[in-house]
Amino acid sequence: MQSSSFTLSHNPSFSFQNPKQTHFIPFNPIRFSSNAVSFSSFTRQSWPLPLSSSFKFRPRPSLATSFPDPFQPRAVSVPENAENSEDASSSLVKTLQLGSLFGLWYLFNIYFNIYNKQVLKAAHFPVTVTAVQFAVGSVLVAFMWGFNLYKRPKLSGAQLAAILPLAVVHTLGNLFTNMSLGKVAVSFTHTIKAMEPFFSVILSAMFMGERPTPWVVGSLVPIVGGVALASITEASFNWAGFWSAMASNVTNQSRNVLSKKVMVKKEDSMDNITLFSIITVMSFFLLAPAAVFLEGVKFTPAYLESAGLNVRQVYIRSLLAALCFHAYQQVSYMILQRVSPVTHSVGNCVKRVVVIVSSVIFFKTAVSPVNAFGTAIALTGVFLYSRVKRIKSKPKTA
């Protein structure tokens, strides 16, 4: 069979018409061997293109190049001040949150002292009142753990044994505070409790071997002098209330010292709120039997009615006092997780001022100018103590 070649041509040229000129796209025909099948019957027409055509063929750009992939990450220009703006807004939000926590801390403290004083004044059973406060706190802790609002800890026997001394001094500290509030004015109790830094320095030196700096010792002078001046001129002064507040200072600062000595493993994730919750539950189980033994069952409706008290009013105020007690403690630990201990100490000093002033206004406590001056000196010393506490003494060179 005679060999032959066939030209496959299917619309081999494309003409682009515009008003000015016409371009022809050159097409190179495909050659087939003799064994190939001819498709000339399917070709309608063929146009020969001159090789001298001035139009140069350029490959058509890919669609992927013309239309970028919408899922492909692309760089976006960001204004230079966008990052600074985000940092500023984030800092503002954190500041507002911290300010709100401080406000709640002070507010819960004010209402706790007001409702607590009203209950203790109507029914002077400080052990029972304190036990009720721990009972309400235990119910709140069980609610948080039961509904997974806060992580429930897994405790070992060794951990419980280490936390037990903390629970004991925590129980005594709150009990002595309520005993003092039942005997003297709220403002005087908190003026005496301004001496907490004095006992903190003494106990830390005795049990931790920490030597205070001269600045710390100097700040204790106005604290002690101011409390002494306020005590001499206090209209509601009595020794039971005075020594109860002093005992509260000793036990509360003993708790702080024990907290430093008790080592809690980091892998157990024992944060301050969890530790406080455990102490609250343990304090209830420690104090409830003592309340029944020392004061009997005094919060029954029959007994309160026989004492001429408004049962509903006593119950509501006791519940509100217990809720505020637990709330301000929780908020205090939340603040401590966000700020330094020095800042927290300064906030605690301001809180004491707010509580004293609000209680004087609410209960219309008679305060002499000398008494107010002594209280102001003591609180100024507390503020100075919180500021100079971070000053470290220089090590002696040989």
Side-chain angles (χ1 to χ4, degrees):
M1 180 182 294
Q2 185 181 356
S3 62
S4 63
S5 63
F6 300 92
T7 303
L8 176 63
S9 176
H10 180 70
N11 294 335
S13 65
F14 303 92
S15 175
F16 297 93
Q17 301 288 341
N18 58 39
K20 296 181 179 181
Q21 62 182 0
T22 301
H23 295 288
F24 295 94
I25 302 176
F27 180 79
N28 294 327
I30 305 174
R31 298 289 181 179
F32 291 91
S33 62
S34 58
N35 296 328
V37 180
S38 174
F39 293 94
S40 59
S41 60
F42 295 97
T43 305
R44 292 181 294 177
Q45 191 176 2
S46 176
W47 295 271
L49 297 177
L51 296 176
S52 62
S53 175
S54 61
F55 182 83
K56 296 183 179 180
F57 177 76
R58 296 179 181 176
R60 187 175 182 180
S62 170
L63 290 176
T65 306
S66 303
F67 303 97
D69 186 0
F71 299 102
Q72 184 72 20
R74 289 173 292 172
V76 181
S77 61
V78 180
E80 294 180 358
N81 60 347
E83 184 176 354
N84 295 333
S85 177
E86 291 179 359
D87 293 341
S89 61
S90 177
S91 178
L92 178 61
V93 170
K94 292 180 179 179
T95 302
L96 292 176
Q97 289 177 348
L98 186 60
S100 301
L101 289 177
F102 270 99
L104 291 175
W105 188 23
Y106 296 169
L107 187 65
F108 287 139
N109 239 288
I110 292 172
Y111 279 103
F112 163 71
N113 284 277
I114 290 175
Y115 290 130
N116 201 31
K117 178 65 176 179
Q118 290 175 336
V119 172
L120 290 169
K121 189 176 181 179
H124 185 64
F125 303 113
V127 184
T128 303
V129 170
T130 310
V132 169
Q133 292 170 1
F134 286 135
V136 174
S138 300
V139 172
L140 293 177
V141 170
F143 179 81
M144 290 191 306
W145 289 348
F147 288 90
N148 293 324
L149 299 179
Y150 209 83
K151 183 180 179 181
R152 181 172 56 185
K154 296 180 180 179
L155 301 173
S156 62
Q159 286 179 315
L160 291 176
I163 297 173
L164 181 60
L166 294 175
V168 172
V169 293
H170 179 76
T171 303
L172 293 176
N174 287 279
L175 175 59
F176 286 135
T177 300
N178 285 339
M179 291 174 65
S180 179
L181 287 173
K183 292 291 186 180
V184 297
V186 175
S187 57
F188 184 55
T189 297
H190 283 276
T191 300
I192 300 172
K193 286 177 69 64
M195 284 192 65
E196 285 183 351
F198 174 82
F199 292 99
S200 176
V201 172
I202 298 297
L203 294 174
S204 296
M206 291 175 59
F207 297 101
M208 303 293 294
E210 297 179 359
R211 288 190 59 184
T213 63
W215 297 100
V216 170
V217 176
S219 67
L220 297 179
V221 175
I223 295 176
V224 177
V227 170
L229 184 60
S231 301
I232 294 173
T233 57
E234 174 60 37
S236 65
F237 179 86
N238 68 70
W239 287 108
F242 176 82
W243 288 116
S244 297
M246 284 293 186
S248 173
N249 289 334
V250 175
T251 52
N252 285 333
Q253 295 311 307
S254 298
R255 178 190 60 190
N256 295 340
V257 172
L258 288 174
S259 298
K260 296 178 182 179
K261 294 180 71 68
V262 174
M263 301 301 295
V264 182
K265 295 181 180 180
K266 293 182 179 179
E267 57 266 20
D268 294 331
S269 300
M270 185 75 66
D271 58 4
N272 289 328
I273 295 179
T274 302
L275 182 61
F276 169 71
S277 301
I278 296 170
I279 290 175
T280 299
V281 177
M282 295 178 71
S283 296
F284 167 69
F285 286 105
L286 288 172
L287 195 60
V292 176
F293 177 77
L294 295 174
E295 297 177 349
V297 184
K298 301 296 185 181
F299 259 42
T300 61
Y303 182 86
L304 295 177
E305 286 180 357
S306 64
L309 300 176
N310 188 329
V311 178
R312 182 173 178 272
Q313 190 178 68
V314 172
Y315 280 1
I316 291 177
R317 289 177 178 176
S318 298
L319 178 62
L320 291 175
L323 291 174
C324 290
F325 168 75
H326 192 78
Y328 91 75
Q329 297 266 18
Q330 290 276 7
V331 174
S332 175
Y333 283 117
M334 292 172 65
I335 293 174
L336 188 58
Q337 291 179 343
R338 288 170 168 80
V339 300
S340 66
V342 174
T343 303
H344 189 270
S345 298
V346 174
N348 192 41
C349 177
V350 176
K351 179 211 71 177
R352 202 171 298 283
V353 175
V354 172
V355 170
I356 290 175
V357 173
S358 61
S359 64
V360 168
I361 295 174
F362 184 85
F363 293 107
K364 299 179 180 179
T365 307
V367 180
S368 65
V370 178
N371 183 275
F373 181 65
T375 302
I377 292 177
L379 295 175
T380 302
V382 174
F383 176 78
L384 293 175
Y385 170 81
S386 64
R387 301 299 297 174
V388 303
K389 187 179 178 182
R390 59 182 177 179
I391 301 178
K392 304 294 183 182
S393 58
K394 296 181 179 179
K396 295 181 180 181
T397 58

